[in-house]
Amino acid sequence: MRFAGVAAVLCLVLAGCGGGSTGDPAPTDKATAGATSGPASTTVKPTATSPNGVPAPEDLTDFQCEADKKGEWNASGILRNESKDRATYQVTAFVGEANGQDAKAMTTRVESVLAGGSTKVEVSKIPADKDARQCYVQVLRKQ
């Protein structure tokens, strides 16, 4: 999935993890994850939406982002909604250099996480150059 200017946005509100193209957004299906009151495994499809919500990197724990044996990058973690209201999250993962250039990223939306609840989030097949070594994540919360 391609996002114009995603690197510039990501540089402003990223939380990094150890772990390096240009174009217009391509439409994809969006899927939702059901509300939960405890950890649940949820695989959601990527969505091509503009950043929406307030930065909430503290709501993502146990974040891991790495390439598999085939060289495809995947990320996962636990979203914990410690607010007093139900929340929708937008999680964007980017693999590459945070150099302010247009780049590819993968975004996943998780809807209706109950107040005090948590759910597992996965971002699969994150676009990356073969020399990529760094993974970044942006977490936005909307209530």
Side-chain angles (χ1 to χ4, degrees):
M1 172 172 307
R2 298 173 186 226
F3 286 87
V6 73
V9 173
L10 288 171
C11 289
L12 296 174
V13 290
L14 287 177
C17 78
S21 321
T22 323
D24 296 323
T28 60
D29 295 338
K30 75 175 182 181
T32 60
T36 61
S37 59
S41 178
T42 304
T43 302
V44 291
K45 294 181 183 178
T47 179
T49 59
S50 298
N52 191 1
V54 297
E58 67 279 2
D59 290 5
L60 181 65
T61 62
D62 301 323
F63 182 74
Q64 296 182 8
C65 184
E66 59 192 8
D68 62 18
K69 292 178 183 178
K70 295 180 182 178
E72 291 181 345
W73 283 79
N74 301 291
S76 65
I78 304 291
L79 286 170
R80 299 186 191 284
N81 180 9
E82 300 201 8
S83 72
K84 295 181 181 182
D85 297 310
R86 190 178 294 237
T88 295
Y89 289 90
Q90 181 173 304
V91 179
T92 301
F94 165 71
V95 176
E97 292 183 43
N99 57 13
Q101 301 297 313
D102 289 350
K104 297 177 189 176
M106 186 65 69
T107 297
T108 297
R109 172 167 266 170
V110 179
E111 296 194 28
S112 297
V113 179
L114 295 175
S118 62
T119 189
K120 183 173 183 176
V121 62
E122 296 179 358
V123 183
S124 302
K125 298 182 180 180
I126 304 164
D129 294 331
K130 68 178 182 176
D131 297 335
R133 298 285 179 257
Q134 187 71 31
C135 182
Y136 300 92
V137 65
Q138 174 193 57
V139 179
L140 300 176
R141 178 181 59 228
K142 185 174 181 183
Q143 294 177 299

